[in-house]
């Protein structure tokens, strides 16, 4: 009962914080209207999939991502979307990242730049041809192998998933608590997020359990963090009490 009460106490605070988050809405609108990032020629980032139909030529990257991994993720998104295999490519890339975590040998292979480029390219081509991957995914992995960028696969995959979710109007919300959210509180939290982000968004709630936060909630979404945990509140109170008292 006490833990459930702590969870409930965090929801009103979260709602009040959301009311002041006009900056988030402005950022989301800015991201939607941002121009597609230009891919650096030095990376030899080329179109690696089947030529898109003319009717699909106006597909744009839904978020402006920057940096090398952002450029690769954006290129993969555009190619997969124009080839109408976005969901399939997303599934393959995510599965590959998970498989690499379970295979020390493959993980070492994608990170070891001492392996000759020809060997890397040949191995990637053979492995993923046999695995039955789409041409888009297979050719993209070959491109990474050619450019010595396989070691960044996990980060590229993360940013690619962000683009795919934004394209579908999905928002991932990570909620950390000491116990699983009761059904009613999960429903209330989803509704609070829906009110903030609008009816056009689909909330994808992911729960994490962490006893170290002691109670309350930690909520993450769209590069925002709301830390309403008892651990953080206690630390803030401790810092306040340690401040010297000045008598005028």
């Amino acid at each position: 009962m006490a833990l459930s009460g702590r969870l409930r106490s965090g929801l009103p605070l979260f709602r009040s914080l959301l009311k002041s988050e006009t900056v988030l809405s402005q950022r989301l609108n800015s991201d939607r209207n941002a121009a597609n990032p230009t891919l650096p020629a030095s990376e030899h980032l080329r179109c690696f999939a089947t030529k898109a139909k003319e009717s699909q030529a106006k597909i744009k990257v839904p978020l402006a991502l920057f940096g090398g991994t952002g450029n690769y993720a954006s290129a993969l998104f555009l190619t997969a979307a124009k080839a109408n295999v976005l969901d399939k490519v997303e599934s393959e890339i995510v599965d590959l990242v998970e498989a690499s975590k379970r295979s020390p040998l493959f993980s070492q292979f994608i990170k070891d730049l001492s392996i000759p480029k020809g060997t890397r390219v040949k191995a990637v081509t053979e492995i993923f041809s046999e695995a039955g991957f789409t041409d888009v995914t297979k050719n993209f992995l070959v491109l990474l192998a050619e450019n010595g960028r396989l070691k960044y696969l996990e980060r590229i995959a993360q940013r690619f998933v962000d683009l795919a979710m934004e394209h579908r109007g999905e928002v991932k919300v990570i909620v950390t608590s000491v116990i699983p959210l009761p059904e009613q509180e999960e429903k209330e939290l989803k509704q609070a997020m829906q009110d903030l982000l609008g009816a056009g968004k689909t909330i994808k709630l992911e729960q994490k359990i962490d006893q170290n936060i002691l109670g309350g909630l930690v909520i993450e979404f769209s590069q925002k963090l709301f830390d309403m945990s008892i651990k953080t509140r206690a630390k803030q109170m401790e810092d306040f009490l340690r401040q010297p008292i000045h008598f005028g």
Side-chain angles (χ1 to χ4, degrees):
M1 292 296 291
L3 290 175
S4 181
R6 291 176 183 176
L7 289 172
R8 282 196 295 272
S9 68
L11 287 174
L13 174 60
F14 178 58
R15 291 195 189 94
S16 66
L17 289 171
L18 289 181
K19 291 179 181 178
S20 65
E21 285 299 308
T22 56
V23 175
L24 174 60
S25 296
Q26 294 173 356
R27 178 179 297 178
L28 289 172
N29 290 331
S30 175
D31 285 342
R32 293 191 192 99
N33 297 328
N36 292 337
T38 301
L39 303 183
S42 61
E43 292 292 338
H44 305 289
L45 204 53
R46 54 184 169 80
C47 180
F48 48 82
T50 305
K51 185 177 180 181
K53 297 178 181 179
E54 292 183 4
S55 61
Q56 299 170 320
K58 293 184 178 180
I59 294 176
K60 296 181 179 180
V61 178
L63 294 174
L65 301 183
F66 303 98
T69 58
N71 291 333
Y72 277 100
S74 298
L76 179 58
F77 171 85
L78 284 173
T79 308
K82 290 177 181 179
N84 199 29
V85 289
L86 184 60
D87 290 346
K88 179 64 173 175
V89 170
E90 181 182 7
S91 176
E92 291 173 343
I93 289 293
V94 171
D95 288 348
L96 177 58
V97 170
E98 291 304 314
S100 70
K101 294 178 181 179
R102 296 191 297 268
S103 172
L105 181 60
F106 183 74
S107 180
Q108 180 183 0
F109 168 74
I110 64 176
K111 295 176 181 178
D112 190 354
L113 293 180
S114 67
I115 300 175
K117 181 172 73 173
T119 302
R120 289 199 308 269
V121 171
K122 182 179 180 181
V124 166
T125 302
E126 292 178 353
I127 290 172
F128 298 108
S129 292
E130 293 179 3
F133 276 25
T134 59
D135 287 342
V136 172
T137 302
K138 181 179 64 178
N139 293 341
F140 181 73
L141 293 171
V142 168
L143 177 66
L144 293 182
E146 289 177 343
N147 291 345
R149 296 296 186 268
L150 279 173
K151 63 179 181 178
Y152 300 114
L153 177 62
E154 182 173 357
R155 180 56 179 156
I156 292 171
Q158 291 172 346
R159 307 191 80 179
F160 173 75
V161 170
D162 288 342
L163 291 174
M165 290 186 68
E166 179 68 19
H167 177 70
R168 293 190 295 263
E170 298 173 352
V171 179
K172 183 177 182 180
V173 179
I174 302 174
V175 182
T176 303
S177 58
V178 295
I179 61 172
L181 282 177
E183 183 177 351
Q184 181 60 33
E185 290 169 18
E186 179 181 346
K187 182 179 179 180
E188 291 178 9
L189 178 58
K190 282 186 175 181
Q191 186 58 54
M193 293 300 307
Q194 200 72 66
D195 292 343
L196 171 69
L197 299 174
K201 296 293 184 179
T202 301
I203 309 302
K204 296 291 186 179
L205 198 65
E206 177 182 327
Q207 294 192 42
K208 291 185 177 180
I209 305 300
D210 184 358
Q211 300 291 339
N212 293 323
I213 70 171
L214 304 180
L217 299 171
V218 179
I219 302 173
E220 302 171 69
F221 68 98
S222 300
Q223 299 182 346
K224 288 286 184 177
L225 175 66
F226 293 88
D227 190 340
M228 299 167 287
S229 66
I230 289 180
K231 178 180 179 181
T232 296
R233 293 184 191 180
K235 180 65 168 60
Q236 291 171 342
M237 180 61 71
E238 179 184 352
D239 292 343
F240 174 77
L241 293 176
R242 288 179 180 275
Q243 292 179 4
I245 300 176
H246 300 284
F247 295 98

